[in-house]
Amino acid sequence: MQIHAKNALVDLKDVIKYIAGNRLAKACNVAVDADSEMRIECVFKHQETASDHQFLVDREGSSIKVKSFRKKGVDYTTGDSLSAVLAELDKCDDATVASKLGVPPPSVKTAAEIDSLVFKRASLFIGGRYLKLQRNISQTPFIVDGKRMTELSVSEVIGEPIKDLVLCDSYNLVGSGREDADVRMLGDGRPFYIECINPRKTNVSQDLIAQVEGRLTEKDSPVQCRMLQIIKPEDTRIIKEGEENKTKHYCALVWFATPLSTETLDEINRIGSSEIVLQQNTPIRVLHRRSPLVRPRKLLRLEVAPIEGHFYKVRIESEAGTYIKEFVHGDLGRTSPSLSSLAGGVVADILELDVENVSLDFPPKI
């Protein structure tokens, strides 16, 4: 809910935060500091109005998908978050809202209650670049129907020792994109940060963080990290904002059904010396979780070199978001042009793929 103050919209939550914060400061004889590491999370519940938004859930074509589940003896409901409700509310005309809620809304008869009160520290962010030196390692735990699909994940290999160091409740790894589990990440590594949730220790020296990086190197871990360091919360924007601007360099082992002639090879490399614009339909392999769209993507460089017989080394520089595997084999015509079509329709398949560089300046230098 929002209220008006001198023609400006003020979120009611901010009003409650201000009132409760000042009362708590007086009771505890402390000052309110918005930059403090301490956070107090207070959740209110009001049973009388809990279902006021149900008409938005029940609307035909509603984007609100409510799910209920039970975990460790506690019932949870997800899907009807504030942002989801407000987004659906924006689609309603005033008459519909007025007929469902009343104008003005009726007075409530009961007071709101505190549902939970949690004291915790603000998240600590640790950034760096990771390398994945073996295949069949996912970026985050890869679990399908309760079955683990890969033995290791990048987030666990790096996150667990960091969790032990800062004594946080949990952690989330956020990468600048992600490679498939069967793709290696080489070169200078992929930029990432780990959000440490509710850490007990925040005054951690750079030497201790460097030791985490060093121990992974010493035990020849298939996952390594570079430039590991504490970063500011605002530095995490570099990862999100760089999604559309960064470029990636790949090296692939490709098989062609028929060995390419010298003329065909020269023609592909001539075309690849200039920018190529692809039209990529959402790949068949991700249609179950991605919208069916046609996305233009740019290849900045393409080089094909023979190895032996049907096998070729292919180097590609592309913009972020390009599906490299689909570019090679064409995805049943869903990517155009493809390496297969550039080779005159010769069937091509990608056997191995490595990411050799992600051109994003991260983390900030210390």
Side-chain angles (χ1 to χ4, degrees):
M1 181 182 292
Q2 294 178 323
I3 60 175
H4 291 271
K6 293 184 179 179
N7 298 321
L9 285 174
V10 179
D11 196 312
L12 186 58
K13 184 173 67 174
D14 292 332
V15 177
I16 296 174
K17 188 189 301 184
Y18 176 81
I19 295 171
N22 280 315
R23 289 186 178 181
L24 190 61
K26 282 184 179 181
C28 299
N29 195 27
V30 295
V32 176
D33 182 359
D35 296 323
S36 170
E37 290 183 357
M38 177 62 71
R39 297 287 186 269
I40 302 175
E41 184 181 280
C42 184
V43 177
F44 293 91
K45 65 179 180 180
H46 190 234
Q47 199 62 38
E48 185 181 346
T49 57
S51 59
D52 279 2
H53 68 293
Q54 188 62 39
F55 76 97
L56 296 172
V57 179
D58 297 337
R59 288 180 74 225
E60 185 177 352
S62 174
S63 60
I64 303 176
K65 307 299 180 185
V66 177
K67 295 181 180 179
S68 298
F69 61 95
R70 190 174 182 81
K71 184 177 180 180
K72 295 183 179 179
V74 180
D75 293 322
Y76 294 91
T77 300
T78 62
D80 56 348
S81 64
L82 177 61
S83 58
V85 169
L86 290 178
E88 192 63 31
L89 191 60
D90 282 341
K91 301 174 186 177
C92 290
D93 56 77
D94 292 345
T96 300
V97 175
S99 67
K100 297 294 183 180
L101 299 180
V103 179
S107 300
V108 296
K109 299 180 177 62
T110 57
E113 300 175 354
I114 293 179
D115 189 40
S116 64
L117 190 64
V118 179
F119 290 77
K120 61 183 180 181
R121 270 202 170 107
S123 292
L124 178 70
F125 295 91
I126 296 179
R129 302 178 77 99
Y130 75 75
L131 289 85
K132 200 173 77 177
L133 307 179
Q134 294 180 11
R135 306 190 192 280
N136 298 317
I137 300 174
S138 55
Q139 188 183 80
T140 53
F142 185 14
I143 300 171
V144 178
D145 295 331
K147 181 180 178 181
R148 187 160 187 135
M149 308 304 289
T150 59
E151 182 180 353
L152 295 176
S153 73
V154 173
S155 67
E156 291 168 308
V157 173
I158 300 175
E160 286 299 316
I162 288 178
K163 180 181 179 181
D164 293 340
L165 178 64
V166 303
L167 304 177
C168 59
D169 289 345
S170 59
Y171 56 85
N172 295 316
L173 182 141
V174 178
S176 178
R178 68 168 65 211
E179 67 288 331
D180 291 339
D182 62 348
V183 176
R184 293 189 299 180
M185 180 66 239
L186 306 177
D188 292 330
R190 182 181 295 277
F192 76 96
Y193 68 82
I194 286 184
E195 179 186 6
C196 304
I197 299 170
N198 193 24
R200 273 61 170 183
K201 293 172 64 177
T202 56
N203 189 21
V204 181
S205 69
Q206 182 58 37
D207 286 343
L208 289 175
I209 293 175
Q211 287 177 23
V212 172
E213 181 178 318
R215 283 194 293 270
L216 292 177
T217 303
E218 289 170 6
K219 67 179 185 180
D220 294 326
S221 169
V223 176
Q224 306 272 322
C225 54
R226 302 285 184 268
M227 302 170 67
L228 204 61
Q229 62 191 61
I230 293 178
I231 61 174
K232 299 175 182 177
E234 54 266 30
D235 291 333
T236 62
R237 292 199 299 256
I238 299 173
I239 294 287
K240 298 180 178 68
E241 293 170 357
E243 279 299 313
E244 298 302 320
N245 301 321
K246 67 178 183 288
T247 61
K248 299 179 183 179
H249 296 252
Y250 298 88
C251 182
L253 174 62
V254 174
W255 173 89
F256 285 95
T258 303
L260 305 182
S261 66
T262 302
E263 293 76 13
T264 299
L265 201 59
D266 289 345
E267 179 62 13
I268 292 174
N269 286 325
R270 183 192 68 78
I271 295 172
S273 64
S274 302
E275 183 181 285
I276 304 173
V277 178
L278 310 179
Q279 299 298 325
Q280 288 202 304
N281 275 276
T282 303
I284 293 172
R285 64 188 172 96
V286 299
L287 265 177
H288 64 286
R289 56 185 172 87
R290 296 263 173 106
S291 301
L293 299 172
V294 178
R295 300 173 177 86
R297 291 291 184 258
K298 295 177 184 177
L299 296 191
L300 306 179
R301 183 172 62 93
L302 170 65
E303 294 179 1
V304 181
I307 298 177
E308 182 179 356
H310 295 256
F311 301 97
Y312 293 78
K313 178 182 287 187
V314 178
R315 292 190 180 277
I316 298 169
E317 180 183 358
S318 72
E319 69 172 330
T322 307
Y323 291 102
I324 299 301
K325 294 177 179 178
E326 282 67 26
F327 163 69
V328 171
H329 55 65
D331 199 28
L332 301 178
R334 297 174 66 83
T335 290
S336 179
S338 65
L339 184 57
S340 174
S341 69
L342 293 176
V346 178
V347 174
D349 201 4
I350 190 164
L351 304 181
E352 291 182 345
L353 180 62
D354 295 330
V355 184
E356 294 190 319
N357 185 51
V358 177
S359 57
L360 183 66
D361 189 12
F362 185 89
K365 293 180 181 178
I366 56 175

